[in-house]
């Protein structure tokens, strides 16, 4: 199965609100040829941050959405057979190494364990990619950077990053922003005024405090942006909250009803 890969980034710089020293840290890692690991919950801005940094540094970005069936061959490449015979097709990782740029592996722990074999030489001082099927050994150019991310909340004994892999990276921990910063992000991304953004963020923070409900994930900044965008477009607030917050957070009808009780307090 081929790895999903994005096209090189568009010219407009994606909005990103820095919350700490992540921007200069990323820049220094890139200048010194160090790979970066970003860990944090779903929808907290990991992917947007990488997109922003790719534009900031003027680098093409190759994003791979990792999954259970993603193998080393999906990243490196494979031989294909067609009417004209057999030819080699580079995978997204090989393309990034050949051409330079950022290769971003989103939710890297979801990929098969054999991917670590090809990542290790790229993530240490060798900065090399060995293509076993063609016999090539590619030296990464100075403008190549390997970035991976994962959600620590999803980790288990079968799907965790090994210490031998993790210790090859400069690591950053992301989380949901403080209220003032999250209001600014929601207002900017959803195209709504500060008053509505504040109301939606307060609702999101209330939902995140619901410890009695067994939610796999709390309300992400991404979901808050979706909610504010729908309300700003004219949808009834309760309908928007149901579709963009409560239903995405749980499949259990009673839990969804309990979440909507909180919505009633903020948009009653």
């Amino acid at each position: 199965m081929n790895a999903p890969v994005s096209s090189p980034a568009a010219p407009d710089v994606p909005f990103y609100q820095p919350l700490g020293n992540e921007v200069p840290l990323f820049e220094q890692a890139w200048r010194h040829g160090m790979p970066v690991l970003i860990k944090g919950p779903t929808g907290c801005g990991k992917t947007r941050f990488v997109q922003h940094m790719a534009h900031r540094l003027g680098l093409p970005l190759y994003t791979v959405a990792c999954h259970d069936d993603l193998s080393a061959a999906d990243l490196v490449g494979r031989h294909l057979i067609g009417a004209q015979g057999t030819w080699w097709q580079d995978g997204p990782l090989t393309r990034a190494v050949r051409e330079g740029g950022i290769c971003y592996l989103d939710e890297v722990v979801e990929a098969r364990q054999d991917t670590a074999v090809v990542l290790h030489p790229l993530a240490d001082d060798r900065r090399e990619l060995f293509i076993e099927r063609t016999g090539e050994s590619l030296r990464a150019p100075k403008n190549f950077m390997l970035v991976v991310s994962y959600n620590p909340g999803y980790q288990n004994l079968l799907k965790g990053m090994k210490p031998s892999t993790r210790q090859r990276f400069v690591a950053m921990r992301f989380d949901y922003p403080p209220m003032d910063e999250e209001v600014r992000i929601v207002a900017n991304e959803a195209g709504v005024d500060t008053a509505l953004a504040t109301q939606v963020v307060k609702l999101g923070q209330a939902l995140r405090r619901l410890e009695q409900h067994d939610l796999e994930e709390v309300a992400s900044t991404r979901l808050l942006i979706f909610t504010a965008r729908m309300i700003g477009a004219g949808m009834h607030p309760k309908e928007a909250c149901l579709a963009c917050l409560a239903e995405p957070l749980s499949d259990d009808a009673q839990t969804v009803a309990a979440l909507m009780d909180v919505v009633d307090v903020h948009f009653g």
Side-chain angles (χ1 to χ4, degrees), residues 199-200 202-204 206-207 209-210 237-238 241 257-268:
Q199 195 173 9
V200 171
K202 286 183 177 178
L203 169 60
L207 294 176
R209 293 193 293 266
L210 292 180
K238 290 185 180 179
C241 291
L259 297 177
M260 289 305 296
D261 287 341
V262 181
V263 172
D264 288 340
V265 174
H266 289 78
F267 286 96

Side-chain angles (χ1 to χ4, degrees), residues 11-157:
D12 293 334
V13 179
F15 172 78
Y16 177 75
Q17 178 65 46
L19 301 175
N21 69 337
E22 65 268 30
V23 171
L25 179 58
F26 191 100
E27 289 180 342
Q28 288 299 324
W30 175 70
R31 289 193 179 97
H32 291 88
M34 299 176 179
V36 168
L37 182 158
I38 305 173
K39 47 189 175 180
T42 299
C44 70
K46 301 187 296 294
T47 298
R48 173 57 63 88
F49 171 67
V50 177
Q51 293 171 335
H52 176 83
M53 294 308 300
H55 283 80
R56 186 182 180 97
L57 297 172
L59 299 172
L61 174 63
Y62 302 91
T63 300
V64 180
C66 298
H67 52 79
D68 291 341
D69 293 327
L70 186 79
S71 66
D74 292 318
L75 294 178
V76 176
R78 51 170 48 88
H79 285 102
L80 300 177
I81 301 175
Q84 304 302 318
T86 302
W87 72 93
W88 172 261
Q89 178 173 286
D90 284 341
L93 181 62
T94 303
R95 287 178 58 195
V97 172
R98 288 192 197 277
E99 303 167 10
I102 296 175
C103 185
Y104 173 48
L105 307 183
D106 187 19
E107 296 297 342
V108 66
V109 295
E110 296 295 326
R112 292 182 183 178
Q113 290 296 327
D114 67 334
T115 57
V117 175
V118 298
L119 295 183
H120 280 190
L122 275 173
D124 58 28
D125 291 340
R126 290 171 287 179
R127 286 175 58 84
E128 290 181 343
L129 175 64
F130 178 66
I131 306 176
E132 182 178 0
R133 296 185 183 184
T134 64
E136 292 180 271
S137 183
L138 303 179
R139 177 79 175 179
K142 289 185 178 181
N143 62 344
F144 168 79
M145 186 177 193
L146 177 64
V147 181
V148 303
S149 72
Y150 68 90
N151 182 348
Y154 286 160
Q155 282 199 96
N156 55 46
L157 293 176

Side-chain angles (χ1 to χ4, degrees), residues 242-264:
L242 177 63
C244 299
L245 278 173
E247 290 290 2
L249 288 175
S250 179
D251 292 328
D252 180 72
Q254 292 183 338
T255 301
V256 170
L259 297 177
M260 289 305 296
D261 287 341
V262 181
V263 172
D264 288 340

Side-chain angles (χ1 to χ4, degrees), residues 212-263:
Q212 69 271 29
H213 296 289
D214 189 20
L215 296 174
E216 291 184 2
E217 284 285 351
V218 297
S220 67
T221 303
R222 180 189 295 124
L223 290 184
L224 300 185
I225 292 169
F226 288 172
T227 304
R229 188 174 293 158
M230 288 294 194
I231 297 173
M235 180 177 284
H236 190 280
K238 290 185 180 179
E239 292 180 356
C241 291
L242 177 63
C244 299
L245 278 173
E247 290 290 2
L249 288 175
S250 179
D251 292 328
D252 180 72
Q254 292 183 338
T255 301
V256 170
L259 297 177
M260 289 305 296
D261 287 341
V262 181
V263 172

